[in-house]
Amino acid sequence: MFMMNKLEKELPSWLTYHNADHTRSVIASVEYLAKAENRTAEEITLLNTAALFHDTGFLESHLKHEETSCKLAKKYLPDYNYSAEQIDSICKTIMATRLPQTPTTELGKYLCDADLYYLGTVQYWANAEKLYAEFKKIGFVRTNTEWLVKQADFLATHTYFTKTAQTELESHKQTILEEIKSSVKTMNTHSHKPTLSEIIQDACFIVFGIIIASFALKEFLAPNKFFDGGITGISLLVHELYHFNLGVIIVLFNLPLIIISYFSVGKSFAVKTFACVILLGICLLLIPDYALTKDKLLISVFGGVFLGIGIGVIMRAGAALDGIEVLALYTLKRTSFTITEIILGINILIFGIAAIKFGVESALYSILTYFAATRTIDYVVEGLQAYTGVTIISGESEAIKYELVNNLGRGITVYKGQRGFLPGNFEVSADCDIIFTVITRLELRKLHNLVHNVDPKAFIFASTIREASGGIIKRRHKH
């Protein structure tokens, strides 16, 4: 009664789920499961005690509360004539409830099932609401939709360990899982429809991007016979060689690629890109050629920067001004070259012709323009959200996988491997899971902290992701 009174009086009020009522429920559930499977009186006593102490760590912190619960058990139980062996058994039982649950003892299986007993009962939704309020308080979830997805993921991977729980609870748990999946699918069905504010925001991005790109082309590049890569570079080259109207050329050269993108990328992307190219053509017709400067370095750098800003802003709206990526993707399916190699080959051809027709110096400055535009596009589209691939090797891979998926909110890929083979101890090795995930560089510190809290000795290495197949451009919206 001492510890139950302590839980009732000292647990924070924001613990709407992990409170004294939850502890009472776990005690009742573990006793029911143990008696149903004819465990001994001593085992039932140990299980009840473990259930009583299993969440006492919340008295100090919600982080690593299982370890704190064991510390409190070791502090108080000797006063109640528990032997060192019994306390050790109780602590192992408590630690089995740490997510993802991995009981290594028979008693641990009973407490794990009792701790999540509600998953297969009619009390599920009431408990889920309490847990949602608690998780929202600590920032683990932000929206109800996110909470539904996390519930579906958790229920899909959860398993009961005792025969009684499997027989009596599993079926109802699966019914709840299907209900949650149905709710998630319903939300996803409607989530693709943009709101009015999103439409207005995208329109503003597109108009701003077109104005900036047109400014770069007409005030920096075209009057000075400077070129860019991609379809824009080809258009500038044809414009200088044959003196066709630049706006008309860009529209004509992009039209076939927009048609291809309609089938290979999506209707929304193709429609937006078509509108962007038409508006760009109109702007180029209306804006007169006027060289703001004759300084070739300024033209290269600032012409590329302004062009990159315009293209990048439009890409953030889910469209494009240059169909070169579509052409590269189309070619990729018919050759063994990568998208990067295809785009590089096209650009080498553009700059090669420029060198022959307008001189090596003009071609070299054009390459600088292309570089400035490319780097600016990367920054505008990715900003601080540049992607990093992270590989983690640890003996605590199960716990790390749980942290990455459920706390960091990232998908993972797991490779089977072996760790060990150290100098002087080469013959010692062990099977392990090698975990790979993709995060933004802003999340790298958080990932390091999550992994370090689980396993301070974990081996982590990261690398910048330069190219990912399966997509054309990084964009915010699905097409």
Side-chain angles (χ1 to χ4, degrees):
M1 292 299 295
F2 158 73
M3 185 52 69
M4 187 59 73
N5 289 334
K6 193 174 180 66
L7 293 173
E8 289 175 343
K9 294 177 181 179
E10 298 181 21
L11 281 174
S13 60
W14 59 266
L15 288 171
T16 51
Y17 175 79
H18 291 100
N19 51 30
D21 288 338
H22 169 67
T23 298
R24 290 192 190 93
S25 174
V26 174
I27 292 172
S29 298
V30 79
E31 186 167 352
Y32 169 75
L33 292 172
K35 287 181 177 179
E37 299 194 2
N38 299 315
R39 307 308 300 193
T40 66
E42 181 184 1
E43 289 174 326
I44 292 174
T45 299
L46 294 178
L47 283 170
N48 283 335
T49 306
L52 174 64
F53 275 84
H54 86 287
D55 277 345
T56 54
F58 281 100
L59 290 165
E60 297 185 10
S61 173
H62 69 279
L63 299 173
K64 290 191 172 182
H65 70 273
E66 295 89 356
E67 287 89 340
T68 307
S69 297
C70 288
K71 183 183 72 174
L72 293 174
K74 292 175 181 178
K75 176 181 178 180
Y76 291 113
L77 289 180
D79 296 337
Y80 293 87
N81 300 318
Y82 282 82
S83 67
E85 184 181 352
Q86 288 175 322
I87 294 173
D88 182 63
S89 176
I90 288 169
C91 286
K92 287 181 180 177
T93 304
I94 291 172
M95 290 305 299
T97 63
R98 180 177 177 177
L99 296 175
Q101 292 180 337
T102 53
T104 57
T105 65
E106 284 300 309
L107 296 187
K109 295 178 181 179
Y110 288 92
L111 186 58
C112 285
D113 286 357
D115 194 26
L116 298 174
Y117 192 88
Y118 79 95
L119 296 181
T121 70
V122 293
Q123 282 81 38
Y124 176 84
W125 295 107
N127 281 286
E129 281 299 312
K130 294 176 183 177
L131 195 56
Y132 172 52
E134 186 176 304
F135 282 167
K136 197 171 183 181
K137 176 69 178 180
I138 63 176
F140 180 64
V141 292
R142 294 178 295 276
T143 65
N144 188 56
T145 302
E146 183 183 353
W147 176 229
L148 280 174
V149 173
K150 287 186 181 295
Q151 288 180 85
D153 291 341
F154 184 78
L155 288 174
T157 57
H158 172 264
T159 182
Y160 283 117
F161 300 100
T162 62
K163 290 183 179 179
T164 302
Q166 291 169 356
T167 302
E168 297 182 4
L169 305 175
E170 186 64 34
S171 176
H172 191 70
K173 186 189 78 174
Q174 293 301 322
T175 301
I176 293 170
L177 175 58
E178 292 305 316
E179 291 178 13
I180 294 174
K181 285 182 176 179
S182 178
S183 298
V184 172
K185 286 179 181 177
T186 301
M187 290 179 177
N188 287 339
T189 300
H190 299 286
S191 63
H192 71 282
K193 295 180 179 179
T195 63
L196 179 60
S197 63
E198 289 174 335
I199 293 173
I200 294 173
Q201 178 179 299
D202 285 348
C204 292
F205 274 150
I206 288 171
V207 171
F208 176 75
I210 288 169
I211 292 173
I212 294 296
S214 301
F215 174 76
L217 290 169
K218 298 291 281 189
E219 312 303 318
F220 284 95
L221 304 185
N224 296 288
K225 296 182 173 58
F226 274 46
F227 308 100
D228 185 35
I231 299 301
T232 303
I234 295 173
S235 301
L236 285 166
L237 194 59
V238 172
H239 167 69
E240 292 299 333
L241 289 173
Y242 302 104
H243 306 292
F244 295 143
N245 184 277
L246 181 60
V248 175
I249 296 170
I250 284 183
V251 172
L252 291 177
F253 282 178
N254 274 292
L255 277 178
L257 303 177
I258 293 172
I259 294 171
I260 293 173
S261 73
Y262 182 91
F263 300 99
S264 61
V265 182
K267 179 181 178 181
S268 175
F269 174 79
V271 170
K272 282 185 179 180
T273 301
F274 178 72
C276 289
V277 170
I278 294 297
L279 288 174
L280 177 64
I282 294 172
C283 282
L284 292 176
L285 286 172
L286 297 177
I287 299 175
D289 285 349
Y290 178 76
L292 290 179
T293 178
K294 293 296 182 180
D295 188 300
K296 293 181 179 180
L297 183 60
L298 292 178
I299 296 166
S300 295
V301 174
F302 285 96
V305 167
F306 282 118
L307 185 60
I309 291 172
I311 295 174
V313 167
I314 290 170
M315 289 171 71
R316 287 186 66 85
L321 270 186
D322 195 308
I324 191 67
E325 288 92 350
V326 178
L327 177 62
L329 181 66
Y330 181 79
T331 310
L332 174 69
K333 296 177 180 179
R334 290 158 177 80
T335 69
S336 59
F337 296 107
T338 66
I339 290 176
T340 300
E341 290 169 341
I342 295 166
I343 294 175
L344 178 62
I346 294 171
N347 290 334
I348 288 174
L349 181 63
I350 295 170
F351 296 127
I353 295 173
I356 295 170
K357 294 292 184 180
F358 303 100
V360 174
E361 186 180 75
S362 178
L364 292 175
Y365 275 114
S366 296
I367 292 172
L368 181 58
T369 301
Y370 174 71
F371 178 77
T374 301
R375 299 309 299 166
T376 304
I377 290 170
D378 287 344
Y379 181 77
V380 173
V381 174
E382 298 174 348
L384 294 176
Q385 298 294 312
Y387 291 101
T388 301
V390 181
T391 301
I392 305 163
I393 302 173
S394 167
E396 300 290 338
S397 58
E398 288 300 321
I400 290 174
K401 284 188 280 187
Y402 178 84
E403 292 291 333
L404 295 178
V405 173
N406 294 288
N407 288 344
L408 195 61
R410 286 292 177 180
I412 60 174
T413 299
V414 178
Y415 303 93
K416 297 298 180 182
Q418 287 185 308
R419 60 194 296 264
F421 305 106
L422 298 175
N425 211 9
F426 179 79
E427 68 280 358
V428 178
S429 64
D431 292 339
C432 70
D433 287 343
I434 301 171
I435 306 165
F436 178 80
T437 188
V438 177
I439 60 173
T440 65
R441 59 187 174 209
L442 280 178
E443 295 172 311
L444 191 56
R445 174 59 58 185
K446 184 176 181 181
L447 179 142
H448 273 283
N449 291 338
L450 285 174
V451 174
H452 185 269
N453 287 337
V454 175
D455 181 9
K457 296 181 180 180
F459 178 60
I460 308 171
F461 65 92
S463 58
T464 301
I465 294 179
R466 298 188 179 277
E467 180 176 319
S469 62
I472 295 179
I473 56 176
K474 290 185 175 74
R475 50 190 180 269
R476 293 182 307 144
H477 303 307
K478 294 180 180 178
H479 307 299

